[in-house]
Amino acid sequence: MSKLKSREEIEEIYKWDLSSLYENDELWEKSYVNVQSAIKNIQEYKGNLFDSSNVFKQAIELELELSRNVSRLFTYAKMKQDENTQIADYQAMTARAESLSFEVEEATAFMTTELLANEYSVIEEYMNEDPELKLYEKYFKDLFKKKVHILSESEEKLLAQMGEVGSVAQNAFGMLNNADLKFPIVEDSNGEKIQLSHGNFVPTLESSDRLLRKNAFEAYYKVYEDHKNVYAAMLSGNVKKDIFYSKARRFDTARQAALFENDIPESVYDHLIEAVHKKLPAMHKYMDIRKRALKVEELHMYDIYTPIVENTKIEVSYEDAKDLALKALKPLGDRYIDVVEKSFSDKWIDVYENKGKRSGAYSWGSYDSKPYMLLNYHNTLDNAFTLVHEMGHSLHSYLTRKNQPYVYGNYSIFVAEVASTTNEALLNHYLIKNEENPKKKLFILNHYLEQFRGTIYRQTMFAEFERDIHTMVENGEALTEELLSNHYIELNKKYYGNEMISDESIRLEWARIPHFYYNFYVYQYATGFSAAIALSQRIIEEGEAAVADYLEFLKAGSSQSPIDILKKAGADMLSSEPVENALNLFSDLVDEFERLLFQ
């Protein structure tokens, strides 16, 4: 086993350069002090916000400057901490920056209250008086859209005080699920014992040992069976919390309230479910292929993760991954590729694992910095996909910040995964098209099909379950364990089809899914993936015109609604077409996979 290197032992070319945030810690400290002073200055506008258009503009600009600077402070401190989480100085700086952000939030809270206490016509007068204020027109309009859902000062304080109470169900779920549950030891077919945990549950289900998979599956869900009524009570409490807040803010339903924040019509959610229902036969066929490939008389839920294709090791060094990224993303045009090359030469990427480094991968930065990428690169195809995925995020951030002012310099969570997944789709397309080794091609196809299964079908099933249980409570039903489990297993049967045995244990899968505590978040995985597939297909088939539209999407930030931005790029999420087109590709890939597998 190779020894993990210290940070100092990693070559400089494989480390990011954070100087676009701050050259050193001393400059960070100076900026910290400046923000503290600016917090005092913003208070001078309290009660005086509408003295004149000039005073109004000064206050708006100071608030945005405060937000911009505190974001930069936090980003630098946290990224330095992520380089080596064991360094106490950066732990402290991160905590100080977080605390300062809360101070800024508290100090500027009066702005929204005073803005919404006035009529929008006053804002329009000020924009006519001072054309520079026109820049913020969408910002103001978005704020005033919320006016009907903003309560009186005393009511808002009460809701704020309810925050901790409202998080009890989610916190209890986290504590029970992550700290208190004890999983048993299971045996494989050779009598070898394995201690089950959250971390190794899915990897155990990937095993070729079917007895081990069955034992692990049943033992894992037996633990949830023993706590099923507690889980039902927690989920019921969380649903009631969502409904309470939606009613308090004068929405018709909890879902309407959740989607309002990102300006997403509820029809988008329903179109997703309807489109997936139409394309369930392709999923059922994929399950039939799995059953035949595994040569089993009955396909069970514990057979879902084990590879259909013999695990084919595809090694990809970091240098090869860079080359692969440039080739796969070539359809996006020279301007895009120039920025990708810039990311490699300009030290945007922290490549390799070192002692104390944060695990996982991300793309991050502030409005004023490079859009950095943290990796923990190992020489695998999965890691090459991770590089391309994070590159999508970083190019989205880079082009947004280059083309939008700070106020619109970010993008909605609804579109956040589109650019990254588009890149992955282009890499999949390139690999499938160019791989000549039949085993490797099957492996890549299976990898892609599993992305569809896990991201569109599975997440849509979750979204349907979440919609239904909120509707049940809004209609006066009680969420008992029996009701939850019965409904969940019926959905499981619908999505996986007749070739799959929906084992009794899967009735309780709802109990272990943290996303059901995220207030209608999970559907966005499926819509984002569908949009990305639609856009990548258009780029491949139509070339320059599609690329031009796509680059405009990457540049748009939050200057328009996410629905409008995607529509201009070629994915109209108000219709079911993008989801249907994505699943048409899935169906084609299933056919190709079947042909290659059984030829």
Side-chain angles (χ1 to χ4, degrees):
M1 183 184 291
S2 59
K3 185 182 174 186
L4 198 59
K5 290 182 178 181
S6 67
R7 182 83 184 163
E8 293 68 32
E9 291 174 306
I10 303 290
E11 289 181 66
E12 288 299 316
I13 57 170
Y14 298 120
K15 296 186 212 175
W16 54 26
D17 171 17
L18 297 184
S19 61
S20 67
L21 283 159
Y22 296 99
E23 287 281 354
N24 51 51
D25 295 356
E26 288 73 26
L27 288 175
W28 184 91
E29 290 289 352
K30 285 181 182 177
S31 180
Y32 186 91
V33 171
N34 289 339
V35 170
Q36 285 182 313
S37 300
I39 289 174
K40 295 170 188 170
N41 296 338
I42 196 79
Q43 289 293 302
E44 295 173 12
Y45 293 96
K46 192 171 184 177
N48 309 312
L49 194 59
F50 285 91
D51 281 3
S52 70
S53 60
N54 189 46
V55 169
F56 180 73
K57 183 174 77 171
Q58 288 174 2
I60 294 295
E61 289 178 346
L62 181 55
E63 180 194 25
L64 291 170
E65 184 185 352
L66 269 172
S67 167
R68 185 169 175 172
N69 287 334
V70 80
S71 167
R72 190 173 179 179
L73 283 166
F74 180 77
T75 303
Y76 176 83
K78 185 68 173 70
M79 291 177 77
K80 291 297 288 183
Q81 181 185 334
D82 288 348
E83 291 178 357
N84 186 346
T85 57
Q86 297 167 350
I87 297 176
D89 286 351
Y90 292 121
Q91 294 173 17
M93 284 169 66
T94 301
R96 287 168 60 203
E98 188 172 26
S99 178
L100 190 66
S101 72
F102 291 140
E103 286 182 49
V104 168
E105 194 177 324
E106 187 177 346
T108 57
F110 75 91
M111 299 275 289
T112 299
T113 306
E114 290 191 24
L115 269 166
L116 295 179
N118 239 308
E119 295 299 319
Y120 188 71
S121 58
V122 178
I123 310 287
E124 288 180 310
E125 281 178 34
Y126 281 177
M127 287 191 289
N128 290 330
E129 279 181 35
D130 187 342
E132 289 184 9
L133 279 169
K134 274 282 189 184
L135 172 67
Y136 307 110
E137 186 171 8
K138 181 178 182 295
Y139 171 71
F140 296 139
K141 283 182 176 177
D142 286 347
L143 193 59
F144 270 80
K145 274 183 192 174
K146 300 176 183 176
K147 185 171 182 176
V148 68
H149 304 294
I150 303 293
L151 310 180
S152 69
E153 187 175 350
S154 61
E155 288 170 326
E156 286 291 343
K157 280 184 179 177
L158 275 174
L159 279 187
Q161 289 166 12
M162 274 291 295
E164 285 189 69
V165 177
S167 64
V168 166
Q170 185 176 0
N171 291 340
F173 170 85
M175 293 304 293
L176 176 58
N177 213 49
N178 299 319
D180 292 347
L181 286 194
K182 305 299 179 195
F183 293 100
I185 293 169
V186 294
E187 288 189 0
D188 66 13
S189 56
N190 295 317
E192 294 290 324
K193 296 185 184 331
I194 295 170
Q195 173 65 61
L196 268 186
S197 68
H198 283 307
N200 71 11
F201 176 57
V202 171
T204 301
L205 293 185
E206 291 171 350
S207 168
S208 59
D209 185 335
R210 197 172 192 223
L211 180 62
L212 172 62
R213 298 201 304 267
K214 182 176 186 291
N215 290 344
F217 184 83
E218 291 175 352
Y220 187 81
Y221 282 110
K222 177 64 171 65
V223 175
Y224 285 93
E225 173 78 24
D226 293 341
H227 299 84
K228 61 185 181 182
N229 292 310
V230 176
Y231 276 103
M234 290 188 298
L235 185 54
S236 175
N238 194 72
V239 170
K240 287 175 180 176
K241 177 261 297 181
D242 293 342
I243 293 168
F244 165 77
Y245 279 116
S246 68
K247 285 181 177 176
R249 294 206 174 278
R250 308 184 188 104
F251 289 97
D252 295 332
T253 65
R255 187 179 68 165
Q256 184 189 60
L259 272 60
F260 175 84
E261 191 63 33
N262 287 318
D263 201 17
I264 307 299
E266 287 183 90
S267 60
V268 171
Y269 200 109
D270 292 327
H271 283 148
L272 167 69
I273 294 170
E274 290 162 11
V276 170
H277 283 180
K278 287 180 188 174
K279 298 296 180 180
L280 284 175
M283 175 65 159
H284 300 165
K285 180 175 181 179
Y286 183 44
M287 291 300 103
D288 176 58
I289 292 170
R290 174 170 284 276
K291 180 180 177 181
R292 285 186 282 146
L294 295 177
K295 297 176 181 175
V296 293
E297 288 186 19
E298 291 183 342
L299 186 71
H300 287 262
M301 290 304 299
Y302 50 78
D303 297 320
I304 202 76
Y305 290 104
T306 191
I308 296 177
V309 181
E310 182 183 345
N311 198 1
T312 305
K313 194 171 184 182
I314 303 177
E315 286 203 8
V316 185
S317 70
Y318 178 64
E319 296 304 326
D320 286 343
K322 287 162 60 177
D323 185 55
L324 191 58
L326 291 169
K327 289 175 179 173
L329 301 178
K330 192 175 179 181
L332 291 170
D334 292 342
R335 283 182 295 170
Y336 192 95
I337 291 297
D338 286 347
V339 183
V340 174
E341 289 179 330
K342 179 184 175 73
S343 77
F344 296 141
S345 62
D346 213 18
K347 301 183 73 175
W348 293 11
I349 310 171
D350 206 75
V351 179
Y352 292 116
E353 188 177 7
N354 59 252
K355 286 179 187 174
K357 185 176 175 181
R358 180 197 187 275
S359 63
Y362 64 63
S363 165
W364 199 28
S366 76
Y367 180 81
D368 300 293
S369 78
K370 300 169 184 175
Y372 295 104
M373 288 167 264
L374 179 138
L375 306 176
N376 282 278
Y377 196 90
H378 294 275
N379 296 341
T380 67
L381 182 61
D382 273 348
N383 277 226
F385 269 96
T386 301
L387 170 64
V388 167
H389 180 99
E390 301 306 338
M391 187 68 71
H393 285 306
S394 286
L395 268 285
H396 194 177
S397 298
Y398 178 84
L399 290 170
T400 289
R401 293 166 190 163
K402 282 284 182 185
N403 291 278
Q404 296 298 333
Y406 175 73
V407 68
Y408 308 125
N410 214 324
Y411 37 83
S412 162
I413 192 69
F414 185 77
V415 301
E417 292 298 330
V418 172
S420 55
T421 311
T422 298
N423 277 13
E424 284 198 65
L426 291 172
L427 177 54
N428 271 309
H429 174 79
Y430 175 84
L431 290 170
I432 291 166
K433 185 179 177 183
N434 291 282
E435 183 56 65
E436 294 179 359
N437 183 303
K439 280 189 177 179
K440 287 183 178 180
K441 188 167 187 172
L442 272 170
F443 180 79
I444 293 161
L445 269 169
N446 195 198
H447 178 272
Y448 201 10
L449 290 171
E450 282 299 298
Q451 285 185 304
F452 277 91
R453 183 189 69 80
T455 312
I456 297 189
Y457 286 105
R458 181 171 165 80
Q459 304 302 330
T460 301
M461 186 177 85
F462 288 171
E464 186 170 357
F465 180 74
E466 187 174 12
R467 180 196 66 181
D468 292 350
I469 62 175
H470 279 79
T471 302
M472 288 171 187
V473 176
E474 284 163 343
N475 289 339
E477 292 185 67
L479 292 185
T480 63
E481 177 277 322
E482 186 178 18
L483 185 148
L484 290 164
S485 297
N486 286 344
H487 191 61
Y488 193 87
I489 199 166
E490 288 307 312
L491 285 176
N492 198 81
K493 289 174 181 176
K494 179 196 291 186
Y495 276 75
Y496 284 97
N498 294 330
E499 294 302 329
M500 174 67 74
I501 302 296
S502 287
D503 304 86
E504 276 297 296
S505 297
I506 205 66
R507 291 166 56 85
L508 286 160
E509 188 177 35
W510 60 267
R512 76 177 186 91
I513 306 299
H515 297 84
F516 294 145
Y517 294 82
Y518 295 178
N519 195 17
F520 292 97
Y521 181 91
V522 71
Y523 82 99
Q524 294 168 122
Y525 290 119
T527 54
F529 190 92
S530 300
I533 297 299
L535 295 177
S536 64
Q537 288 297 103
R538 184 168 180 246
I539 289 162
I540 290 163
E541 292 165 7
E542 298 180 27
E544 286 185 20
V547 169
D549 289 342
Y550 182 69
L551 292 179
E552 290 305 307
F553 156 69
L554 297 181
K555 294 174 185 176
S558 57
S559 62
Q560 303 161 55
S561 79
I563 293 292
D564 288 342
I565 292 168
L566 278 175
K567 186 175 182 179
K568 288 174 183 175
D572 182 4
M573 302 310 292
L574 291 177
S575 77
S576 58
E577 188 177 350
V579 184
E580 289 178 0
N581 287 346
L583 293 180
N584 284 339
L585 174 61
F586 173 75
S587 184
D588 291 343
L589 292 170
V590 167
D591 291 344
E592 184 176 0
F593 185 65
E594 181 183 38
R595 179 178 58 77
L596 289 172
L597 189 62
F598 298 118
Q599 66 182 3

